[in-house]
Amino acid sequence: MTSYKIYPSIGVARVGNAPAKFYVGPEVYRGLPTLPDGAPFTERDFRDDEGRLCRQAARFRVFREGPNGSEEVTLDTPGIASITWTAHIANKKASWYTFVTNEGENGYAPNHPLRNATEPDRNKLMIDAGPRSIAGALQSGVHFDATSAPPNYQGVNFPQGPLNPTGESISSLGELRTDDAGRLLVLGGFGISGTAAPDPKINEYANNDGWWDDTSDGPVFAVIRLTDGTEIRAAASWVLVGPPSYAPQIANLVSLWDTIFDAGVRNGKVPAIFEQGLWKSGPSGYKPNFQSEIQPLLERATLYPWVAAIPPKPHTFNFEQLGTVPKSPATDEYKGLRSWILDVLRPPSSENVIVSDKGRTMMPFLAGDNCLILDTLTSKYLRLTDTQFFFMQQWAAGWFRNEVATSDQAAALTRGVLENCVGGAFSPGIEMGWISRNTAIYQDDDPLRINARLVVDGPLSAGFDPRQMEPGDVCRYMAVPWQADFNECSSQPMDGRVIWWWPAQRPEFVYLEPPAPRAVTTAEAPPPPDLRSGQQVAWVGTDFDQLRNDFISFADDVDMVRYWQGLGFVMEKTVHGKLRFVEVARTLPRPFFPPAK
Amino acid sequence: MTSEVRSPDPIRNLRSPRPFGALFDRLSGSKQAPGHKSRTTEDQRSDLRNAAQLALQVEFSTIPVYLSGLYSISDTGSKAYQILRSVVMEEMFHVNQVANLVVALGGLPRFTREFAPTYPGYLPHANENTTPLLGLYRASIDVFSNVYAAIETPAPWDAPAQGDHYDTIAQLYESLTQAIEAFPGNPFQADPPEFRQRTDIYLGKFGGTVIKVHDKHSALAGIDQIVRQGEGKVPADKPLVPREPFGAYNQYGMRTDGTYGPILGTPEELSHFMKFREVSLDQANFPPTLPITSNPRLDDFSNPAALGLAKLFNQHYSVMLRAFERTFVRGDFDPFFGIVLNLMHEVLPSMAATLMTTPAHDNGNSEVGPNAAPTWSWDDSADVHTLARGLQQALDKTPVDSPRAAHLARAMRGLAKLVIPASGHAL
């Protein structure tokens, strides 16, 4: 039987304030974005000609799955008459419960407060323009705004009037386009956040009543009409619209793919790894592939020092030694080295341990889901997912493979997109929060595909049904406005240490590209140390005093609402003949102190 | 090279051992060189090799001293523990770097038999009046101040090079440096046929980068790192790690803003001396320690369980030393990751914890003490193939509810991870 499915099963668009120019989000692990016209992506392409930050489009494709694997279907494929895409994105942040770390993941308590609790009409707290459809090649201009809403659609709602502090209005959540082969491009909002309050204040990292932002999420459907007139509904995907990705080539130790995959594994969807409650460990169990399941994890640790103050030496690994598959246990000369690495990884059930009883600092040195509520400190520190840890355990014991990984191209698309997103810590997160771990929201036969409900006439539901996920049902677990969490979740003082949040998504410290070397004359003052030595500098804010309220962040979250689009990107470049990750395309001056308001 | 080495005097007179005799009278660069002009280049190279081996023994001698104190601290998160641990790790770097020096001079770095240190005693060839008596002590403020900091005492800025009867370790290194500089030509060979340098075994977050020695420049750069990190002879405004344009070393420590956190770029790392002094001046926060016997001898243990465990510890320690020595022998068998690493990181610490919670005397109380402690003595009869059996026997004899049972079980688990060659490689 032939079935049609949309891939990636979860796609990611990102906000930007450039009105027209955009790029397509990376579809491979640690990839750069791509340009719609296929030209090579350069550091100039993060912004438009006026220095405005480009939006990232999520691209969706249809794959036909047959006995020989999957193949992409486009308007150019023989036998295909048309592909009609329908997407519906919404923002339900203001209508949902307040975000409190960990609370609600297993159901909300009766005393859990709502955001904007005094508003009786919860639909007035949603941003929704209804569904939109598009078909054909190179189409554009299908906007998610109030004026173009379907005439019968109930529940169209947008924030009233200009919002403070920027004076801009949220009048659209994004746009649908198609490329030259009829693939769908979903563009998100412009990064406008604000409140009607005349004196805008952000009091909290996650919940701010009266505030809006123009991120969103929702399902993506497609109907394929064959030349013989047959119409086929493809399996639906989901689009997430999140904050910009400022360091696209640097991945999180726990990516969103790892988290969703782990949820599926623990739900019994990957019996080769975990079946009937038992992990397939030992010599006859699951043998992780070093190239695709071990080395990337080690690599991510190697890359963190480019975006956080983390010593490179202990994060540098000899992959030749570590990838050597032992011929027999008696000749496994690197077993001790692998065990040594496993021993420094924070194991499950040790989420609050920073120094082991052997005195080693446990890794990762990153904040966990819940390090904010002092009297219920659980999961203070991040750890690998169960599945990642299981892979590391099998590897350390010597039960692993080392071979070129092969993967279905459609499945690889989902993995490639989600590996560039944050899979923890969820406090609340960047693209998707702990709802990503709730296996009830995924389809029974596809643990990476969300149960999508097409809402034809509206209005949207204010409730939660994991079998019928609606537009806005994913982003509502995130901070409102996103800039508040994004600004504050840089460093976290904890137990006398300063722990990092999501350096790969929200850089803490960056390296600058040094100016071209020139002849030094004695009369000339030496260049500042950061340019001379390539020393790390704060990506935002200051770095000389950890107690200052603008330590690697803005002192006031409202300034992130104003200036997020001026921050720099971290990109791999050749500097003095070597590959480095340096900051590019920053439009804010450095140092930058926001002017008094 | 072994011709000049004498076994330590069986009667302990607690003088600094002088295994290399009059070596420093002959070393090139020495002011007392006249009369030795007839020595060949190969003789001079042999002298250099012996001087490097001496430096190796000096570095290695400090490690059991520090580890005895480290294992006696029960709070692994305490500042005293963490600082002492960081110094021990960096001493391992020093050992590795000096071992490379020995290899580059055509020798095998020696750790076994008569090259293993004995306690209590002095650093070899040291001035007993200015260097501390090295003992195996329970950690305390006074031990940090009077032993650990004393070992790492900086040399005065203009202190002369000293060979025999050196006042500080830095001055010994100065004489080694001068001898290297005075050598006619390049005495170093990066890849001698029999032995190999190692740059892949110094793991973890601690300071220093192991350098492969191939000429005078790389040899001196290695020594420079050791001296700066250890005793801190260089002026404080010079960085420990050379400034590197990217990916520079981030040290976590006390920042100039008064908080603990990352020190961006390539910071000045505190010398070992300053680290120890910092702990010893912070009396109020010194962590609790286990009531162990200081300077233990096997004869002290009237509790047969303690005696058995102490001997077992020495067997594991001796196998570790033998395997570590073997790590520098060229060939297809490298016991470092398969044997040495797990013994160092898992088995020996767990066995030390077992000993330190075992009363030294029959019917003693481990909360009160005195408890046993490792004697760090060489056991020539130790054999890698019999370690597990001995440990299992000890485990069988240990009451399951005793504090030491869990430590011993952990040592057993660590031992199970060892990759032990079937035969042909005696360890």
Side-chain angles (χ1 to χ4, degrees), chain B residues 6-9 30 38 40 81 107 144 154 170 202 231 236 242 263 269 282 298 300 314 327 347 356 365 385 393 422:
Chain B
R6 292 189 293 267
S7 294
D9 194 333
S30 161
S38 59
T40 64
Y81 185 97
F144 268 78
Y202 177 54
E231 302 77 32
I263 302 161
E269 190 188 2
D282 187 11
L298 294 179
D300 294 340
N314 286 336
T327 293
V347 182
M356 290 180 175
N365 180 323
H385 295 99
Q393 283 167 358

Side-chain angles (χ1 to χ4, degrees), chain A residues 358, chain B residues 64-74 76 80-86 88-89 137 139 144 148 356:
Chain A
K358 277 194 269 179
Chain B
V65 177
Y66 293 149
L67 284 179
S68 290
L70 184 77
Y71 297 150
S72 76
I73 299 174
S74 29
T76 57
Y81 185 97
Q82 288 288 324
I83 282 185
L84 184 50
R85 182 168 180 271
S86 76
V88 177
M89 295 297 181
Y137 305 109
F144 268 78
Y148 301 165
M356 290 180 175

Side-chain angles (χ1 to χ4, degrees), chain A residues 309-310 312-313 321 329-330 332-334 336 340 355-361 500 511 533-534 536 543 545-546 580, chain B residues 76 81-82 85 200 203-205 244-248 250 252 255 257 259-260 262 334 337-338 341 345 410 419:
Chain A
I310 289 172
K313 176 176 171 285
Q321 293 178 345
D332 187 2
E333 62 174 312
Y334 299 115
W340 187 85
V355 176
S356 77
D357 57 3
K358 277 194 269 179
R360 296 175 75 179
T361 310
W500 313 118
Y511 287 96
S533 66
Q536 286 178 308
D543 62 26
D545 181 358
Q546 294 192 113
R580 310 292 195 193
Chain B
T76 57
Y81 185 97
Q82 288 288 324
R85 182 168 180 271
D200 59 343
L203 308 171
K205 67 182 174 183
E244 294 170 22
F246 285 93
N250 294 304
Y252 282 63
R255 295 160 48 100
D257 61 11
T259 64
Y260 180 89
D334 172 17
F337 297 113
L341 190 61
H345 275 274
R410 189 160 170 172
V419 179

Side-chain angles (χ1 to χ4, degrees), chain B residues 261-387:
Chain B
I263 302 161
L264 294 187
T266 39
E268 180 73 357
E269 190 188 2
L270 284 186
S271 71
H272 293 178
F273 174 78
M274 288 167 75
K275 286 180 174 181
F276 287 143
R277 189 45 72 71
E278 198 183 316
V279 172
S280 68
L281 291 177
D282 187 11
Q283 296 221 10
N285 293 313
F286 198 82
T289 51
L290 297 167
I292 61 163
T293 310
S294 285
N295 285 326
R297 296 177 306 155
L298 294 179
D299 296 350
D300 294 340
F301 305 145
S302 67
N303 176 2
L307 183 62
L309 285 166
K311 287 179 174 170
L312 205 52
F313 181 94
N314 286 336
Q315 287 176 14
H316 284 73
Y317 169 62
S318 301
V319 167
M320 193 276 287
L321 289 183
R322 226 188 264 135
F324 191 48
E325 199 169 273
R326 182 74 190 229
T327 293
F328 296 93
V329 176
R330 194 174 291 284
D332 55 359
F333 174 59
D334 172 17
F336 187 82
F337 297 113
I339 293 177
V340 181
L341 190 61
N342 266 320
L343 281 175
M344 276 195 319
H345 275 274
E346 207 163 350
V347 182
L348 288 173
S350 300
M351 293 189 72
T354 315
L355 271 171
M356 290 180 175
T357 47
T358 303
H361 304 298
D362 236 351
N363 293 323
N365 180 323
S366 65
E367 301 291 317
V368 177
N371 291 350
T375 60
W376 304 94
S377 322
W378 171 256
D379 181 346
D380 208 43
S381 71
D383 178 356
V384 71
H385 295 99
T386 62
L387 294 181

Side-chain angles (χ1 to χ4, degrees), chain A residues 211-235:
Chain A
W211 276 81
W212 304 88
D213 70 33
D214 63 2
T215 63
S216 61
D217 72 281
V220 174
F221 307 91
V223 174
I224 295 97
R225 192 159 55 83
L226 307 182
T227 44
D228 66 6
T230 315
E231 285 200 343
I232 303 159
R233 290 184 183 280

Side-chain angles (χ1 to χ4, degrees), chain B residues 10 15 68 118 143 176 297:
Chain B
R15 305 296 297 171
S68 290
T118 55
V143 167
L176 180 58
R297 296 177 306 155

